[in-house]
Amino acid sequence: TGATNVAVGYYSLASTTTTNDNTAVGAYALNANTATGNTAVGSDALRANTSGNYNTALGQNTLKVNTTGIHCVAVGTNSLAANTTAESNTAVGSYSNDECTTGADNTSVGRSTLGTNQTGARNLAVGTYALFDVVSSSDNTALGYKAAWNHTSGQVTAVGSKCLETATTANYTVGVGYNCLNYLTTGDNNTAVGFQAMERTTTGHSCTAMGSYALYNCSTAINNSAFGRSALGGAAVTGN
């Protein structure tokens, strides 16, 4: 009794009997589907979907094991491939958020963005490899190539190519600018705005740098504030 369904490909929409408004193009696309309003284009796209409604999957293996997750969008080979029950995830780019299982409300644009995320939620990653190593951390924002690439705990904001690239547990840190806080590993509560601001900081924390090269050589310093181009950026800083 289902209506307005389209199926093109081997075993596409094979299980649909009474639901409506589904489109499946490709071998096994929407193979197990019993839900409504799904679009799957590509082999194995939304293959395991049962009751998840209003999902869009474009590309091979996109949303392949999704069962009940709803309102998800996956564009690019293997994007959201491991998503099962999570809702409202958007992934654009090959292997974007491809290991996510139950983390919801994530947006990732670019190849391998949120690449190892599994349960983290409400993350925004734009740019190749942005927030790649996030596994369970939530509420992070990374915009730029390899922005917050190694980050594993929350919450950080990284805007700029390679900004916060090597940071792992830099909680409550904000970086805006190319290469700013690029060498940071475990320093918390830092704010750096400007080209290469605080670039050499490794474990320093609770610092504020505003301006190109501000606190550039700050390594393990704490509670420093620098405003202006190259402010406190010359010699290595290790004190308070």
Side-chain angles (χ1 to χ4, degrees):
T1 57
T4 59
N5 294 297
V6 175
V8 179
Y10 185 72
Y11 276 98
S12 58
L13 275 176
S15 301
T16 297
T17 56
T18 60
T19 54
N20 307 320
D21 305 315
N22 295 290
T23 300
V25 179
Y28 297 103
L30 281 166
N31 174 259
N33 185 69
T34 58
T36 297
N38 291 294
T39 300
V41 178
S43 60
D44 288 319
L46 277 165
R47 176 172 181 164
N49 192 72
T50 52
S51 58
N53 298 317
Y54 311 115
N55 295 295
T56 300
L58 306 177
Q60 182 184 24
N61 294 333
T62 49
L63 282 163
K64 180 178 180 178
V65 297
N66 188 74
T67 53
T68 61
I70 62 174
H71 298 291
C72 290
V73 176
V75 180
T77 300
N78 277 64
S79 59
L80 286 173
N83 195 88
T84 53
T85 60
E87 302 178 359
S88 303
N89 283 310
T90 299
V92 179
S94 58
Y95 296 93
S96 178
N97 209 5
D98 61 311
E99 294 185 16
C100 182
T101 54
T102 58
D105 303 302
N106 294 292
T107 300
S108 53
V109 180
R111 178 190 172 193
S112 297
T113 46
L114 286 171
T116 60
N117 181 56
Q118 296 176 8
T119 59
R122 301 175 302 279
N123 292 298
L124 171 62
V126 179
T128 303
Y129 300 118
L131 279 172
F132 179 82
D133 279 336
V134 166
V135 177
S136 58
S137 178
S138 300
D139 302 301
N140 297 288
T141 299
L143 308 177
Y145 173 72
K146 286 190 176 181
W149 181 30
N150 284 335
H151 184 64
T152 56
S153 65
Q155 288 77 37
V156 299
T157 299
V159 180
S161 181
K162 297 185 179 181
C163 180
L164 282 163
E165 178 182 0
T166 60
T168 54
T169 56
N171 299 311
Y172 320 120
T173 290
V174 176
V176 180
Y178 170 76
N179 264 15
C180 70
L181 286 163
N182 188 37
Y183 289 90
L184 186 69
T185 54
T186 57
D188 297 339
N189 298 297
N190 290 297
T191 300
V193 179
F195 179 81
Q196 293 185 333
M198 293 184 70
E199 181 183 5
R200 301 291 175 176
T201 299
T202 54
T203 58
H205 65 85
S206 306
C207 292
T208 300
M210 301 285 179
S212 298
Y213 304 106
L215 279 171
Y216 176 81
N217 279 315
C218 172
S219 55
T220 58
I222 62 174
N223 298 318
N224 285 287
S225 296
F227 299 90
R229 184 182 187 276
S230 298
L232 287 174
V237 180
T238 56
N240 298 341

